[in-house]
Amino acid sequence: MHSSIEKLRKFFRLEAENGYNDSAIIGGLAKMLDYWENDARNDGISEDLIQAVAGRLRDYSRLSPASRKETLYGIWNRVKKEIGDDGDQKPHQTRPQPASAPNRSEAAPQQDTAEEQNQAQTTSAAPKQVDRPKQLHRPAPPKSSSAPGAKTSKTPIALNASLTVLQGVGPKNAKTLEKLGLYTLGDILYNFPRRYDDYSQLKPIKSLWYGEQVTVIGTVQSVTGRPIRGGKSHITEVILNDGTGALRLSWFNQPWLTNRLRQGVAISVSGKIDQYLGRLVMNSPDWELVETESLHTNRIVPIYSLTAKVTQKWLRKIMNQVVSYWAPKLTDHLPESVRTAANLPDLSTALLNVHFPDTQEDLQAARRRLAFDEIFFLQMGVLRQKRDWQSVTARIFDVSDEWLQSRKDALPFTLTKVQSKAISDIIVDVGSGRPMNRLLQGDVGSGKTVVAAMAIDIIVHGKAQAALMAPTSILAEQHYRSIQKMLVNGQEDEFKPEEIRLLVGDTPEKEKEEIRAGLADGSVKVVVGTHALIEAPVQFKDLQLAIIDEQHRFGVEQRAALREKGENLHLLVMTATPIPRSLALTLHGDLDISIMDEMPQGRQPIETHVLRPRERERAYTMIRAQVLEGRQAFIVYPLVEESEKIEARAAVDEHASLQAEVFHRLKLGLLHGRMKPAEKDEVMEKFRNKEYDILVATTVVEVGVDVPNATVMLIEGADRFGLAQLHQLRGRVGRGMEKSYCLLIPTNNDDTENERLLAMAQSNDGFVLAEKDLQQRGPGEFLGTRQSGYGSTLRMASLTDIALIEEARERAKALFAEDANLEKPEHQLLGEAVDRFWGNTKGDIS
């Protein structure tokens, strides 16, 4: 079995064992995409399957446990269908286990044999007992996180020791802990709790107030489940008692909870206190099992991520054994001058308090110190990248003002101020003698493709070649058509149509050979394509410009592979996902940034409304009216086909229903991700040519579909999408001169108050929405696969803490100016820590 598929299977199984509570990976199951996509591509897994898996997992955290279960089953069925039997693993053996299966993650840790236990008991965490070569050198282990332990005498070398040196941890238990990424004592120190139960400040049920957002711990007194709404839905009700009072909890469409939440089970629930018939209730709270013995510890208790056969109590004991012994023995890698200036505790105190804090104040100070470290390391690496990038020379491309103006005049529209500014920035970059390394960040519809086309024009005018790589065939074809239109434009003295080619996975092999030959001999000046561009047979005569669109959707290796097709080439990366200022400072400090926050002339704001499901006919009426005026509409659904488990409308079924019952006089097209590329192209072409009045689709239309005549975007199940995705979908309309509308219909009436949907109705500004998305959902939507180039993820830093980010950035800039290579004796430990964080590589420029 491919290693990437085996990893997928293991994480799905672990998620099933944990009751689909999104805890199989620290930070949520979607975090696995940071590295899994690259692994899958290295294994030769098809790009369609990789994107299918990634697309389903990105929004996994927002789903209910029942929906998560259905999602994982759906993904695995797709994997089985495409991969089949591989190696000695049969597909049916790797199916995720049902949520009703016993929760083995709370079971006792795996028992080692008596011989192994005796061996474990003869050692301890102390350095004198681990100072043996066979314990200090593991054969090629997976890369540790930012755990200490390395080359200077100030760092205890014993932190590289295997976990078998610990009392009670034999080879079998050590193997189990590897599933949590724990290989060495150093890994244990940096295995941070995923949350804390503060039993010293619990609020009793009798003291709760309406409207409070609280966490309550108690024992399940009773559990009932029953169908409602004529059997279409299900409600689970639990009475929770903590000795001071009782609280009613309710969950909709999660019938499996009646088996999980049995009478007498102790649980922790978090949510908002509501009122029903004069009684306090909590609807759809987050919940977790807790250990009853911890209820009376009267302290802040760390809660760690678990795996099968490891209990919280056992792991906490191991953590305490290592942290209490080793944390005080560490020498701080952060210079005292930086610590003092930023008012940070020393590393030993921070590690002790992040695991076993005495007070909330101690915990917050420890988290701030460790978060500062992550941002500081990140900034030092980013500054190093920028220096390295600027230290090499690149070909100079100069253009005259007259030539530039003639090319601008040839465009079928007038450039906006921000487009002109971005083009000026690019001209300065490519004329500087250093490689351009620029991020073009623009809101939906701001006209980034025009800027990319002008950059290509400049390079080709200088007798070199350019390549543009997009993440999907639809987007690549969209760019190809736009660039052909803008660059050829009747001026064949500059460009001939055959000099601009499209290369995607489905390009016929004969045509591929023709394009490859043209790129090799220089007769093809511009190629637009997908990851097909980076395949080994593709060689350029003189590639000097690489443009990567939606760069966060490509892996580090893919971006590097395109850059390696030329020598010190100029690089332009583009994103239609507005990146909040705090993220831009943190993640793209090595890039020069051009921000495009102005819409082309004539574009009107898209009027956005949130409708209740029962108001759906109002939306249909608006669509009919727009079609009568000669316009077109999109109707987007979250699913391809109906599911028994997920209460959401689906494109295939609704397409048939809408055509037969609602819009029987209109022509409806259907577009979804399971269609073959040729079928998708045919449908889109017919929609562009107005052969369809309405396009019923899934999120396959999120990026790259440009139909200026479309004026209505109706999104069903809108509560199932993130803000960034909703904004991208909305951007499919309003691309012409006519007034356009976006209508959002959530799954249930209650979801009309959804914070994301209300934000969409209030703002058309992608940068404002990006800030809100960052606050609500964290940085995952923006990080994409860039983070996989770091050798470590940001596990403690919050990218919403702009003050901390700016402080860490300023301290890093000052230290970099003083000692860029961290060669001074007082900076050597810091240099090691930065290298560990970045995985001892130069990272990834883009």
Side-chain angles (χ1 to χ4, degrees):
M1 174 174 285
H2 297 298
S3 64
S4 59
I5 300 301
E6 175 66 14
K7 287 176 185 175
L8 200 66
R9 181 187 71 83
K10 288 180 178 178
F11 285 128
F12 282 13
R13 267 193 171 171
L14 178 57
E15 185 66 1
E17 291 168 355
N18 290 350
Y20 304 97
N21 62 4
D22 201 18
S23 63
I25 293 178
I26 296 173
L29 193 59
K31 293 291 286 184
M32 71 175 288
L33 296 177
D34 288 353
Y35 58 84
W36 182 84
E37 291 180 80
N38 294 333
D39 292 347
R41 291 186 183 102
N42 292 336
D43 285 343
I45 306 302
S46 74
E47 190 64 24
D48 283 348
L49 181 57
I50 292 172
Q51 292 303 324
V53 173
R56 300 292 295 278
L57 288 183
R58 282 195 183 100
D59 292 328
Y60 185 82
S61 63
R62 301 201 325 275
L63 302 177
S64 67
S67 298
R68 290 171 182 169
K69 178 182 175 184
E70 181 67 12
T71 294
L72 296 193
Y73 271 101
I75 293 173
W76 194 252
N77 285 333
R78 171 79 180 266
V79 170
K80 287 196 298 181
K81 183 178 178 181
E82 292 201 21
I83 302 297
D85 289 344
D86 195 346
D88 58 358
Q89 296 289 338
K90 292 183 170 58
H92 73 271
Q93 292 175 325
T94 59
R95 184 172 181 170
Q97 297 179 6
S100 57
N103 182 13
R104 292 193 290 149
S105 64
E106 291 293 341
Q110 176 178 339
Q111 293 298 311
D112 295 320
T113 64
E115 180 182 350
E116 290 165 343
Q117 289 178 348
N118 289 336
Q119 176 189 348
Q121 288 169 2
T122 64
T123 61
S124 74
K128 62 180 181 178
Q129 305 220 2
V130 297
D131 198 12
R132 291 177 290 175
K134 67 177 182 180
Q135 291 174 325
L136 300 181
H137 302 285
R138 295 175 290 128
K143 197 186 301 176
S144 295
S145 62
S146 52
K151 55 196 176 191
T152 75
S153 59
K154 292 183 180 179
T155 303
I157 196 169
L159 288 175
N160 283 336
S162 165
L163 298 183
T164 53
V165 303
L166 295 171
Q167 186 172 0
V169 180
K172 285 186 178 178
N173 279 345
K175 195 72 178 174
T176 301
L177 289 171
E178 286 180 8
K179 295 177 182 178
L180 295 172
L182 305 177
Y183 297 86
T184 68
L185 298 181
D187 292 334
I188 289 279
L189 281 179
Y190 281 78
N191 179 42
F192 301 134
R194 59 187 174 87
R195 67 174 177 84
Y196 302 84
D197 284 340
D198 189 352
Y199 296 120
S200 65
Q201 297 180 8
L202 279 179
K203 191 161 189 179
I205 290 176
K206 71 174 184 179
S207 302
L208 298 178
W209 288 87
Y210 171 74
E212 281 186 305
Q213 190 80 26
V214 295
T215 297
V216 177
I217 292 179
T219 303
V220 174
Q221 189 172 312
S222 66
V223 186
T224 58
R226 67 179 190 279
I228 57 175
R229 299 173 186 166
K232 293 183 178 179
S233 299
H234 184 278
I235 185 171
T236 303
E237 293 184 324
V238 168
I239 303 299
L240 188 72
N241 195 304
D242 70 348
T244 71
L247 180 66
R248 183 180 297 274
L249 316 173
S250 61
W251 290 268
F252 293 94
N253 298 320
Q254 299 182 44
W256 58 274
L257 283 176
T258 55
N259 294 321
R260 274 312 284 288
L261 300 177
R262 300 181 182 279
Q263 185 176 354
V265 170
I267 62 172
S268 166
V269 294
S270 299
K272 185 179 180 181
I273 300 297
D274 289 320
Q275 204 165 14
Y276 179 70
L277 299 179
R279 286 183 147 187
L280 296 182
V281 298
M282 194 182 281
N283 294 317
S284 301
D286 293 326
W287 69 275
E288 283 189 309
L289 297 171
V290 299
E291 300 170 40
T292 51
E293 62 264 31
S294 296
L295 294 177
H296 309 292
T297 56
N298 197 34
R299 63 160 298 140
I300 301 172
V301 178
I303 304 297
Y304 298 96
S305 294
L306 301 175
T307 188
K309 302 178 182 178
V310 173
T311 67
Q312 201 58 250
K313 186 176 181 180
W314 182 79
L315 181 57
R316 195 181 295 129
K317 180 180 177 183
I318 297 297
M319 295 298 303
N320 187 56
Q321 182 182 345
V322 175
V323 172
S324 60
Y325 184 91
W326 281 110
K329 292 176 169 53
L330 295 179
T331 302
D332 203 328
H333 48 250
L334 207 59
E336 186 176 355
S337 59
V338 175
R339 292 202 311 271
T340 302
N343 192 27
L344 299 169
D346 63 74
L347 181 62
S348 295
T349 302
L351 285 172
L352 284 168
N353 286 339
V354 83
H355 288 286
F356 300 100
D358 290 327
T359 66
Q360 285 290 345
E361 290 73 20
D362 289 344
L363 174 58
Q364 294 312 313
R367 290 177 64 89
R368 184 174 182 272
R369 160 61 204 265
L370 296 168
F372 181 95
D373 276 10
E374 291 179 343
I375 300 296
F376 190 84
F377 296 161
L378 182 53
Q379 289 305 312
M380 291 298 291
V382 160
L383 291 168
R384 180 173 60 189
Q385 282 189 9
K386 189 163 189 175
R387 178 200 62 187
D388 292 347
W389 184 258
Q390 292 178 337
S391 67
V392 299
T393 58
R395 189 187 305 178
I396 293 174
F397 291 85
D398 284 325
V399 293
S400 67
D401 292 341
E402 294 77 17
W403 178 88
L404 182 63
Q405 191 58 50
S406 70
R407 297 305 286 159
K408 288 181 178 180
D409 292 341
L411 294 172
F413 42 75
T414 303
L415 294 174
T416 64
K417 289 181 181 178
V418 293
Q419 285 173 325
S420 295
K421 174 66 168 62
I423 292 169
S424 297
D425 290 341
I426 289 170
I427 290 172
V428 171
D429 288 346
V430 300
S432 69
R434 295 191 305 269
M436 174 172 67
N437 190 31
R438 183 166 294 277
L439 170 67
L440 185 60
Q441 177 188 348
D443 206 345
V444 176
S446 59
K448 295 181 298 300
T449 308
V450 184
V451 176
M454 291 299 292
I456 290 170
D457 206 354
I458 292 165
I459 297 300
V460 175
H461 179 68
K463 310 303 181 185
Q465 293 170 299
L468 190 158
M469 186 166 71
T472 66
S473 296
I474 287 180
L475 187 51
E477 289 160 17
Q478 179 77 40
H479 283 312
Y480 172 69
R481 274 191 296 271
S482 299
I483 289 171
Q484 276 272 13
K485 182 178 178 182
M486 285 183 276
L487 295 187
V488 177
N489 200 27
Q491 297 196 19
E492 295 197 8
D493 58 316
E494 289 284 348
F495 269 103
K496 295 180 175 61
E498 62 270 20
E499 293 175 338
I500 305 174
R501 302 299 296 268
L502 175 68
L503 181 62
V504 295
D506 293 302
T507 302
E509 190 55 40
K510 185 177 180 181
E511 190 178 340
K512 280 184 179 178
E513 291 178 8
E514 180 185 319
I515 295 170
R516 287 195 288 258
L519 291 171
D521 66 23
S523 59
V524 173
K525 307 290 181 59
V526 182
V527 62
V528 180
T530 56
H531 59 282
L533 294 182
I534 61 177
E535 293 173 354
V538 178
Q539 298 297 327
F540 294 81
K541 182 180 180 182
D542 186 19
L543 180 65
Q544 287 294 315
L545 172 66
I547 301 176
I548 301 175
D549 193 22
E550 294 299 325
Q551 62 96 18
H552 62 286
R553 295 175 66 174
F554 286 106
V556 171
E557 290 82 1
Q558 288 180 303
R559 299 196 296 266
L562 180 60
R563 286 203 309 274
E564 288 166 5
K565 297 287 184 180
E567 184 177 353
N568 293 343
L569 48 71
H570 297 284
L571 180 69
L572 179 67
V573 295
M574 305 194 297
T575 178
T577 302
I579 303 171
R581 178 168 172 265
S582 57
L583 272 177
L585 280 174
T586 308
L587 301 178
H588 301 297
D590 56 323
L591 296 167
D592 297 309
I593 302 177
S594 293
I595 295 176
M596 298 177 59
D597 53 3
E598 176 187 353
M599 290 295 150
Q601 192 172 3
R603 290 273 178 89
Q604 301 181 50
I606 301 167
E607 198 172 300
T608 304
H609 300 277
V610 181
L611 303 178
R612 296 180 183 276
R614 62 172 178 263
E615 297 176 301
R616 189 170 282 110
E617 186 55 44
R618 289 178 57 195
Y620 295 159
T621 300
M622 171 177 278
I623 290 174
R624 290 190 196 98
Q626 289 289 302
V627 172
L628 281 174
E629 292 180 15
R631 313 289 169 226
Q632 292 165 282
F634 292 95
I635 303 180
V636 173
Y637 293 93
L639 303 177
V640 176
E641 294 178 325
E642 290 281 3
S643 164
E644 293 181 5
K645 302 292 184 181
I646 302 177
E647 187 183 348
R649 294 176 172 239
V652 173
D653 306 85
E654 292 298 324
H655 171 260
S657 174
L658 290 170
Q659 182 69 84
E661 302 170 17
V662 182
F663 301 113
H664 53 276
R665 295 183 180 178
L666 305 179
K667 294 178 181 178
L668 275 65
L670 176 64
L671 184 69
H672 58 76
R674 294 183 188 171
M675 297 168 69
K676 295 178 180 177
E679 294 173 331
K680 293 179 191 174
D681 295 342
E682 182 182 356
V683 170
M684 277 310 308
E685 201 57 40
K686 286 185 176 181
F687 190 54
R688 283 193 194 94
N689 294 336
K690 303 181 184 179
E691 294 179 44
Y692 293 131
D693 302 304
I694 301 170
L695 184 62
V696 178
T698 58
T699 54
V700 71
V701 300
E702 178 186 345
V703 173
V705 177
D706 188 3
V707 183
N709 194 51
T711 55
V712 181
M713 169 61 72
L714 169 59
I715 304 176
E716 289 277 4
D719 53 300
R720 295 180 173 273
F721 301 103
L723 258 176
Q725 197 170 30
L726 287 171
H727 187 57
Q728 288 286 339
L729 288 169
R730 177 169 62 181
R732 298 311 102 206
V733 297
R735 304 180 80 82
M737 297 299 181
E738 305 299 329
K739 178 70 176 174
S740 295
Y741 306 87
C742 179
L743 309 176
L744 307 172
I745 302 181
T747 309
N748 300 306
N749 285 325
D750 293 344
D751 290 322
T752 52
E753 298 302 315
N754 182 296
E755 202 172 340
R756 293 191 303 279
L757 304 190
L758 295 177
M760 283 287 294
Q762 292 163 4
S763 178
N764 268 274
D765 189 327
F767 290 89
V768 171
L769 296 175
E771 289 285 359
K772 288 184 180 290
D773 213 22
L774 178 61
Q775 293 164 10
Q776 291 175 16
R777 299 208 298 155
E781 185 75 16
F782 307 96
L783 286 174
T785 51
R786 179 186 168 90
Q787 192 69 13
S788 62
Y790 293 155
S792 174
T793 53
L794 301 178
R795 295 174 298 161
M796 192 60 72
S798 167
L799 293 180
T800 58
D801 191 346
I802 296 176
L804 181 66
I805 285 171
E806 292 184 339
E807 171 136 36
R809 181 172 170 77
E810 288 306 310
R811 303 294 170 205
K813 285 170 65 178
L815 188 61
F816 191 82
E818 175 192 341
D819 183 15
N821 295 320
L822 301 177
E823 293 172 334
K824 292 183 178 180
E826 64 268 29
H827 297 156
Q828 287 181 5
L829 274 176
L830 176 61
E832 293 176 25
V834 171
D835 285 343
R836 282 193 300 273
F837 182 84
W838 282 80
N840 293 302
T841 70
K842 291 187 177 181
D844 179 58
I845 297 294
S846 61

